[in-house]
Amino acid sequence: MQALLNGESTLVIAMIVAYIAFTSWLTFKLRSRTSDQFMTAARAMPAVVVGVLMMSEFVGAKSTVGTAQEAFQSGMAAGWAVLGASIGFLLFGLLMVKKLYNSGEYTISAAIAQKYGKSTMLTVSVIMIYALLLVNVGNYVSGAAAIATALHVSLPVAMCIIAVVSTFYYVFGGLKGVAWVTILHSAFKVVGVIIIFAVAMSLTGGIAPMQAKLPAYYFSWDGKIGFTTIFAWTFGTVGAIFSTQFIVQAISSTPSADAARKATYYAAAFCLPLGFLLALIGVAAKYLYPDMNSLYALPVFLEKMPPLASAFVTTSLVASIFVSVCTVALAIASLVVRDFYVPYWKPTPERELKMTRVFSIVIAIVPLVFVFFIPEILKLSFFTRALRLSVTMVAMMGFYLPLFASNRGATAGLIGAAVSTTVWYLLGNPFGIDNMYIAAATPLVVMAIERLVMGHAPAASQAAESNAFVERTST
């Protein structure tokens, strides 16, 4: 891609450095001083702040760049990648949020353990860590595309910048610091997307010229993607919202179950317009630069702006990257500490906070090992959502169909779903069947077979087992 002029590059770099310096200072000032603040912000977050947090989790760097990339290839229908999150948050608020909040836990695995038991809890935790590490791999790749374009650095260098800066944010800030700084990050991100959209529409002359030149499917509801894939995306996004660790952690930071439900409605409203804007940006890039690498469908517009606007938008993309990486890494750290470190080592609160920060640094480094093996960003995104969907299926059965609340069946179903979904994804979704459907069906089938063949353990004994193991920490 064409390089920015030296003067413009200097302005971009200066604004990004100033932004990172200010938000780093703000994070340190608002840092978590106790394990309770690190994990749940001491259950004192306003609903609107939590709504912004949850929106940023599902409309982060990966979805922002990835939706534009998919729209470049397949049309406006790529917007369903974000619109599905709006539907998911609405359903989550109606069906699940109060049950999870009233469990008193801040990890999805510990909440599920109350219905199943120890082995299911550990299996859920491992699957969630696996899925979220892959989420951050995608965040590093998509974020590096924007940073490399603006700062004239290689993709590996850009990824290292993301790892270092975002690690500082969440290692010191914890949920308390990340939550408040995310308000600023998200404001920059939304304004940045609006500016990119305005520039794209100015360059194309509006929507009409694009409709006249591009194939008709670019403006159809299902595009080149098709109903089956769109339904799988939406289904998987809804399922992922129901079980994603950071979402559970975010709602646990509100003062009440009613506030947690309000937060999900705020998140649904915040996601809705962004899907349309990002899809139109990708389609505009196809119209203007049809032979370009689709990964740059959104960052390409940085070079078409006045210097100050380019600097601001680049900073907004950087903000989006940091939000995405911070929230995911914080969720992974919570799972590692709550489900593995605390039950077995039983540390003091001070030791727990110290080790949480150590684990957080390691968690930031791991995705860098895998970033060069990633195909299209959006496909990776929905594969990680498929993995989380399998957890949702087990959770919903535990909460609404206690007849199937077997620790053995749930554990077998989750392991089977993780293996089968991964294999299906690596094979390229054979027979046109999306891996999302494999993730949804496998635990149901395995649990049903286990119930029919092996019988059902008494609910009381399982509750006793889970209550004996699941010790609440820092709440």
Side-chain angles (χ1 to χ4, degrees), residues 1-40:
M1 299 179 65
Q2 181 183 356
L4 294 172
L5 296 175
N6 289 336
E8 295 178 6
S9 295
T10 301
L11 179 61
V12 168
I13 294 170
M15 186 172 287
I16 290 175
V17 170
Y19 181 84
I20 290 173
F22 174 73
T23 52
S24 297
W25 169 82
L26 187 61
T27 299
F28 190 77
K29 185 176 179 61
L30 297 172
R31 68 189 181 277
S32 296
R33 300 178 185 273
T34 67
S35 184
D36 192 23
Q37 290 180 343
F38 195 99
M39 297 299 186
T40 64

Side-chain angles (χ1 to χ4, degrees), residues 115-127:
K115 298 295 180 181
Y116 292 104
K118 174 181 176 180
S119 68
T120 300
M121 182 185 90
L122 296 179
T123 304
V124 167
S125 193
V126 169
I127 291 173

Side-chain angles (χ1 to χ4, degrees), residues 77-369:
W80 284 104
V82 176
L83 298 177
S86 190
I87 297 170
F89 282 121
L90 181 62
L91 293 175
F92 182 57
L94 293 172
L95 300 176
M96 199 72 170
V97 68
K98 285 194 171 183
K99 291 182 180 294
L100 288 172
Y101 187 90
N102 290 332
S103 74
E105 296 291 349
Y106 64 83
T107 66
I108 180 63
S109 47
I112 289 176
Q114 294 182 5
K115 298 295 180 181
Y116 292 104
K118 174 181 176 180
S119 68
T120 300
M121 182 185 90
L122 296 179
T123 304
V124 167
S125 193
V126 169
I127 291 173
M128 192 61 64
I129 291 169
Y130 168 43
L132 293 178
L133 282 173
L134 289 178
V135 168
N136 257 359
V137 170
N139 284 336
Y140 280 30
V141 172
S142 57
I147 290 179
T149 300
L151 303 186
H152 294 287
V153 295
S154 65
L155 285 174
V157 171
M159 291 172 193
C160 291
I161 292 172
I162 293 169
V164 171
V165 176
S166 61
T167 299
F168 178 87
Y169 285 149
Y170 73 84
V171 165
F172 285 99
L175 185 57
K176 177 192 171 188
V178 166
W180 289 110
V181 174
T182 292
I183 297 295
L184 180 61
H185 287 328
S186 297
F188 263 72
K189 175 175 65 179
V190 171
V191 173
V193 169
I194 292 171
I195 292 174
I196 294 173
F197 173 75
V199 170
M201 291 300 100
S202 173
L203 292 172
T204 62
I207 296 175
M210 294 190 290
Q211 288 179 312
K213 179 179 178 180
L214 295 173
Y217 68 77
Y218 267 84
F219 292 91
S220 66
W221 73 271
D222 61 345
K224 200 176 179 180
I225 299 169
F227 169 77
T228 302
T229 300
I230 289 174
F231 181 79
W233 283 0
T234 306
F235 184 42
T237 300
V238 171
I241 287 172
F242 274 48
S243 65
T244 293
Q245 166 55 29
F246 186 75
I247 299 300
V248 177
Q249 195 166 356
I251 64 168
S252 73
S253 71
T254 58
S256 69
D258 287 335
R261 175 171 281 180
K262 286 181 182 177
T264 64
Y265 298 155
Y266 283 127
F270 295 152
C271 288
L272 191 60
L274 290 175
F276 293 106
L277 295 180
L278 292 169
L280 277 170
I281 288 169
V283 171
K286 179 67 176 179
Y287 171 79
L288 294 167
Y289 317 106
D291 299 321
M292 179 185 67
N293 184 336
S294 63
L295 180 63
Y296 296 99
L298 187 144
V300 69
F301 291 106
L302 296 175
E303 299 179 355
K304 311 302 175 183
M305 299 177 185
L308 187 60
S310 177
F312 182 91
V313 172
T314 302
T315 304
S316 77
L317 291 175
V318 170
S320 176
I321 295 158
F322 292 150
V323 169
S324 301
V325 174
C326 285
T327 56
V328 172
L330 182 60
I332 298 171
S334 300
L335 288 165
V336 170
V337 171
R338 170 63 185 84
D339 296 343
F340 297 96
Y341 178 65
V342 169
Y344 295 103
W345 276 267
K346 302 187 185 306
T348 63
E350 294 77 16
R351 179 69 176 174
E352 179 183 339
L353 180 60
K354 180 179 179 179
M355 290 306 299
T356 299
R357 287 178 166 146
V358 171
F359 293 139
S360 297
I361 293 171
V362 176
I363 289 163
I365 296 170
V366 172
L368 292 173
V369 178

